[in-house]
Each structure stands twice: as structure tokens, then as C-alpha cells.
Amino acid sequence: MDVSDLHPPDDYSHRFFIWHEWIQANGPLTSENVFEYFSTSMFYDKQSNNQVLRMQTMHTGISVTNEAEELKRFTGVEFAVVHAQPPSFFVIHKRERSSPEEVKPLASFFIINNRIYQSPDLYTVLSNRLLTSLYSIQSTLDSLRAHRPDYTPRTGFVWPIVDPSLAESSKKQEEIATNEVSGLSEASTKQNATTSGISKRQQNNTLLMNAMYATAAHSASLATRTLAPMTESMTTDPVAMSSANRMSATPAPVVSRVPTPKPNNQEPQPKAAPGGGKKKRKRMCFLRCQILFAH
């Protein structure tokens, strides 16, 4: 939308005027030259009484000493500086004169820091304020409509209005409850971790004991398999079986007997074949191992 559609052609309330070159050429604004600066702006009316008075004295070369008194002789639109606070603030009125003593203000302009603005009228101020208020009310109603409670036949639309102090206390209680729940959950987690560690330890001990039992059983089975063929070979020898039975029934005494001296005239006995005593001792050792495993 174009800005010209919102404002009439002669409405410059949304604009301002500044001329830096004029300020640099004529110096800062004063009560004497501020109207000259204002006459260069678009707010100035070229058909005003001020312009007619200037056109009359332009070719005579006589400057107007008291412009306010000269304007009283005219009727119509004129401009007048009503307030001056040089060099930063000035107020200029546009008014309609009907008699030397009767004027009617039409518009107001103010100059701040070399910038000329048009003051808004009462209608513009009120309409703007009303529009802003209505927009805020409409936004509030839209938010209320979006969050309104459900309708019940008994109570209708009832808004849950809660005291702020009660709301704060309830929030504190909820925070305390959440902290307690979190603490209990942490404690239960730690307890579960401890129990799981203990159960894992017991499981490891059980596995270790089973492995030890299996190893012992395996070693016993290997020993029996190794001694079985030896016992079968020894059962064929009756002398070894009789000695084994005698040893198992009545074990030999630990104290050894002193042999009786033999006479010198006896003939020496023939020596046993080499290696025979060693084989006999080996067989005796195997028999003793068999008896021990049998018990």
C-alpha cells in the first residue's frame, strides 16, 4: 500500500524537513532567522499573508520591522512564531485571522535540532490511541478464547483462578516431591547395582567350584584308566596276588627284623637276575596305589 493512500496530498504529518546547507550558510537558528528557514520547507504556504507581505516589500527594499503588527492588517492564513528556545527548539503556528484581534489556529509545527515536524491534531492522537487499545484488547480476547475452559452444564465456563501465594506453595511442594522421587530412584538404582554385583560374584564362585569339581573328577577317571591294564596284568601272577592279599589283610610291621647270621660253611646262594627286584618293587607300588584309590 502506498503512503499517499493513507494521507492526503497536503498532509505531511508523517514527514520532516531539514536543510544542512542552509544551516551551514546562515549559522545556527535564532528567533530572527528561524522563519526564513521555515519558509524553505514544504510546510510553508506560498499563498499566506506572510508571503503577500514579503512580495509587497520585495521591490521597495524596505524590510519589515514588525511583521506581527503588519499582519494584523490582513485577513486569512498566516504563520507566527509563538515559542522560541534557540537554537534547538521552536514552535510555529498556522492560523486564520478574521480580525486584528481574533485568530483561529489551524496547525502547529515544531523545530527540534534543525528538523521541522508537523504536530498531530487531536483527532489523529485519539484515533491512534484508540486503535492501539483496540488491538491490545483484541489480542487479549484471542488468547483467552484459545485457552478458555470447557463448558459444563452445572457451572458453565469457570476460569480456575488461583491465589498467587497458593500457586507458589504448590510449586514448591511439587519441586520437593520431584526431588524426593529422584532421590529414591537414585537409591534404588544404587541398591540394584549392589545386588547385581553380589549375584554376579556368587555366580562366579559357583562356576569356579563346578570347574574344580569337574577337574577333580576328570583326574580321577584318568588315574583309574591308567591303573586298569596294570591290575589286569598283575592278576595273572599268583605270587603277586598272594602278596597283595597278604599286604591288604595284614600290613607288614614297620620295625624290620635283624637277620640271623648265616654259617660260613654254607654255599653262597645264586644272585638274582639283574632288574628282577626293580620290577617287583614297581608292581608293589602299583598295588598300593590301587588299594588307596579303592578306599
Side-chain angles (χ1 to χ4, degrees):
M1 182 180 292
D2 192 5
V3 179
S4 61
D5 297 338
L6 299 176
H7 302 277
D10 58 344
D11 184 14
Y12 301 105
S13 59
H14 59 286
R15 299 172 61 182
F16 69 91
F17 174 83
I18 186 171
W19 192 0
H20 298 283
E21 291 78 8
W22 195 95
I23 299 296
Q24 292 177 0
N26 298 274
L29 296 178
T30 62
S31 301
E32 288 76 17
N33 63 0
V34 65
F35 193 81
E36 295 291 337
Y37 179 67
F38 178 78
S39 63
T40 59
S41 66
M42 68 278 194
F43 301 107
Y44 183 69
D45 188 1
K46 302 295 184 180
Q47 297 179 358
S48 63
N49 295 336
N50 303 81
Q51 186 66 21
V52 171
L53 183 61
R54 289 187 180 187
M55 292 296 292
Q56 291 178 357
T57 59
M58 182 184 298
H59 300 286
T60 59
I62 302 171
S63 62
V64 180
T65 57
N66 193 354
E67 187 176 358
E69 294 296 331
E70 294 293 333
L71 289 174
K72 289 181 180 180
R73 298 185 297 108
F74 298 90
T75 57
V77 179
E78 64 180 27
F79 293 91
V81 180
V82 296
H83 181 77
Q85 188 178 348
S88 59
F89 182 69
F90 301 91
V91 178
I92 299 175
H93 281 180
K94 180 182 181 180
R95 56 195 183 183
E96 184 179 0
R97 181 176 291 276
S98 57
S99 65
E101 302 296 335
E102 185 179 356
V103 290
K104 179 183 177 181
L106 300 177
S108 179
F109 307 91
F110 58 93
I111 303 173
I112 298 178
N113 296 328
N114 303 328
R115 293 188 178 188
I116 305 174
Y117 300 90
Q118 181 178 357
S119 299
D121 53 3
L122 184 60
Y123 173 79
T124 305
V125 173
L126 290 177
S127 62
N128 189 16
R129 294 294 184 269
L130 288 175
L131 181 61
T132 304
S133 302
L134 290 175
Y135 176 77
S136 301
I137 293 172
Q138 184 179 1
S139 301
T140 304
L141 292 176
D142 291 339
S143 62
L144 290 175
R145 191 180 296 108
H147 297 86
R148 69 178 179 179
D150 297 333
Y151 175 81
T152 57
R154 185 172 63 86
T155 59
F157 293 102
V158 178
W159 294 91
I161 301 174
V162 183
D163 189 5
S165 60
L166 297 177
E168 291 179 359
S169 62
S170 62
K171 288 182 180 179
K172 290 181 181 179
Q173 291 178 359
E174 291 178 358
E175 290 178 358
I176 293 171
T178 52
N179 293 332
E180 290 179 356
V181 170
S182 61
L184 292 174
S185 62
E186 290 178 359
S188 61
T189 305
K190 291 181 181 179
Q191 186 176 3
N192 293 332
T194 306
T195 53
S196 63
I198 294 172
S199 62
K200 287 182 179 180
R201 193 180 303 166
Q202 291 178 355
Q203 185 178 3
N204 294 334
N205 293 336
T206 305
L207 293 174
L208 182 60
M209 293 298 294
N210 293 335
M212 293 174 65
Y213 290 148
T215 305
H218 184 64
S219 62
S221 64
L222 287 176
T224 52
R225 288 177 184 176
T226 306
L227 293 176
M230 294 183 181
T231 53
E232 290 178 358
S233 63
M234 291 177 66
T235 51
T236 57
D237 191 358
V239 179
M241 288 294 295
S242 62
S243 62
N245 293 331
R246 183 174 56 81
M247 289 179 64
S248 62
T250 55
V254 179
V255 180
S256 60
R257 297 180 180 179
V258 179
T260 56
K262 295 181 181 180
N264 296 328
N265 54 2
Q266 291 181 357
E267 294 180 0
Q269 295 181 357
K271 294 183 180 180
K278 290 183 180 181
K279 291 182 179 180
K280 190 174 182 180
R281 283 195 296 272
K282 287 181 180 180
R283 289 179 181 177
M284 293 297 292
C285 290
F286 285 131
L287 287 173
R288 289 178 182 177
C289 291
Q290 183 179 7
I291 292 167
L292 288 176
F293 280 108
H295 287 289

